[in-house]
Amino acid sequence: MPKNLFEELVDVIATLRSENGCPWDREQTHETLKPTLIEETYETLEAIDAGDPEKLKEELGDVLMNIMLQAQIAAEHEDFDIYGVIEILTEKLIRRHPHVFGDVNVEDSTEVVKNWEAIKRQEAGYEDRKSVLDGIPSALPTLLRAQKIQNRAARVGFDWDELKDVVAKVEEELEEVKVSINADEPEATAMELGDLLFAIVNLCRFMEIQAEESLRQANRKFTERFKWMEAELERRGTNFEAQDLESLDTIWEAAKKAEANTD
């Protein structure tokens, strides 16, 4: 691969944004690119889930294009350019990995994370943070943000000692949901459901499971099974509306067996 390939990409992006470039690219701003950055990121996750290296390569390219456009827009406003992005990233990686680029010794990845957080707190921009929870982006997916909040709290000792205590908390929150439902209190039920979700995320965190990823996989699994049911009903010359719940449950179990046979 030519060493100047990156410079060529920089030139291509600049050309797309130039007066004689692409109308769509020229119209973009930091704000208009936000949705595509999110979309391309999730398409990258799908490529990873699919185990498709070629698709992953393509999707990573799409994410990189968004980053390059963002940097080009900033350069046009004389804020920074892509080389400034690379420079600050390189400096940060070296600074936050003294066990690799310095003389600090660490025992394991847990100690690496602990050192990482300590180094971050000494950096510019972190001195105004009053709370351990400050700095967690509000735009994160809700499950991911909940888990990050809980991780931060756990780092300063606000955590359960044993798994059974976390499970008990989930059960407690579920009982409170049932009470609010029986009392016919919709607003209270909504609040209690939120507490239950938060407790379940905490259970995921305690077991070192990513709640967001776990639910993504559950969504994927449900979607695949549901589509199998649709195909099976079509094969039988019928549809969902013509079935009772018992029949649908039987077909659902068949979908689960079909899925197991393909694993």
Side-chain angles (χ1 to χ4, degrees):
M1 180 182 296
K3 290 185 178 179
N4 65 346
L5 197 57
F6 182 73
E7 285 76 10
E8 182 181 354
L9 175 59
V10 173
D11 290 342
V12 167
I13 296 297
T15 300
L16 290 173
R17 288 278 302 175
S18 69
E19 184 176 350
N20 297 320
C22 171
W24 184 89
D25 290 287
R26 290 176 58 193
E27 291 174 357
Q28 300 313 302
T29 66
H30 291 308
E31 289 72 23
T32 63
L33 287 170
K34 285 165 59 178
T36 59
L37 178 57
I38 294 172
E39 179 182 343
E40 299 299 351
T41 299
Y42 279 106
E43 288 181 359
T44 301
L45 295 181
E46 286 188 5
I48 293 173
D49 289 343
D52 187 338
E54 286 301 312
K55 185 64 175 175
L56 177 58
K57 179 171 65 175
E58 178 185 350
E59 297 302 341
L60 286 171
D62 290 342
V63 173
L64 179 58
M65 177 183 173
N66 190 292
I67 294 170
M68 297 296 291
L69 277 171
Q70 295 274 10
Q72 177 61 30
I73 292 168
E76 292 164 8
H77 289 86
E78 299 184 350
D79 295 328
F80 59 84
D81 59 19
I82 189 62
Y83 297 102
V85 173
I86 294 172
E87 181 181 18
I88 196 171
L89 172 60
T90 303
E91 291 175 353
K92 181 189 296 184
L93 289 173
I94 294 173
R95 184 173 63 254
R96 293 185 182 179
H97 290 82
H99 53 289
V100 177
F101 302 103
D103 56 4
V104 174
N105 295 317
V106 295
E107 293 292 331
D108 51 29
S109 60
T110 300
E111 194 170 345
V112 169
V113 173
K114 182 179 179 181
N115 288 344
W116 179 283
E117 291 298 324
I119 294 168
K120 281 172 61 177
R121 287 194 293 272
Q122 297 172 8
E123 295 173 349
Y126 288 84
E127 61 274 7
D128 294 333
R129 295 187 179 183
K130 306 298 184 182
S131 169
V132 171
L133 304 182
D134 286 345
I136 301 175
S138 58
L140 284 175
T142 308
L143 289 180
L144 179 57
R145 188 164 191 267
Q147 194 152 353
K148 282 188 172 292
I149 289 171
Q150 294 166 1
N151 277 330
R152 292 278 188 91
R155 286 175 191 167
V156 294
F158 191 68
D159 199 7
W160 302 98
D161 292 324
E162 298 183 33
L163 178 61
K164 64 180 179 63
D165 298 322
V166 187
V167 173
K169 184 61 177 178
V170 172
E171 294 171 342
E172 174 189 325
E173 297 296 351
L174 177 58
E175 287 304 314
E176 292 181 5
V177 169
K178 293 177 181 179
V179 169
S180 64
I181 291 174
N182 291 333
D184 193 20
E185 299 175 344
E187 292 186 6
T189 300
M191 293 294 292
E192 296 298 347
L193 282 170
D195 292 343
L196 175 59
L197 286 171
F198 196 81
I200 291 173
V201 171
N202 204 27
L203 176 59
C204 290
R205 178 197 62 81
F206 202 89
M207 298 184 69
E208 298 184 352
I209 295 170
Q210 291 297 320
E212 187 77 23
E213 178 64 18
S214 184
L215 186 56
R216 280 201 329 110
Q217 294 297 337
N219 287 341
R220 178 193 58 77
K221 182 167 59 177
F222 180 89
T223 300
E224 290 178 354
R225 291 175 181 175
F226 192 87
K227 288 182 177 179
W228 189 95
M229 293 175 68
E230 288 178 319
E232 176 63 16
L233 288 169
E234 183 177 2
R235 186 185 68 80
R236 299 181 185 184
T238 184
N239 54 37
F240 273 89
E241 289 77 7
Q243 311 301 311
D244 57 25
L245 186 57
E246 184 178 354
S247 298
L248 290 175
D249 188 57
T250 300
I251 300 173
W252 175 262
E253 291 300 320
K256 289 170 61 177
K257 289 181 180 178
E259 179 184 64
N261 290 335
T262 59
D263 290 341

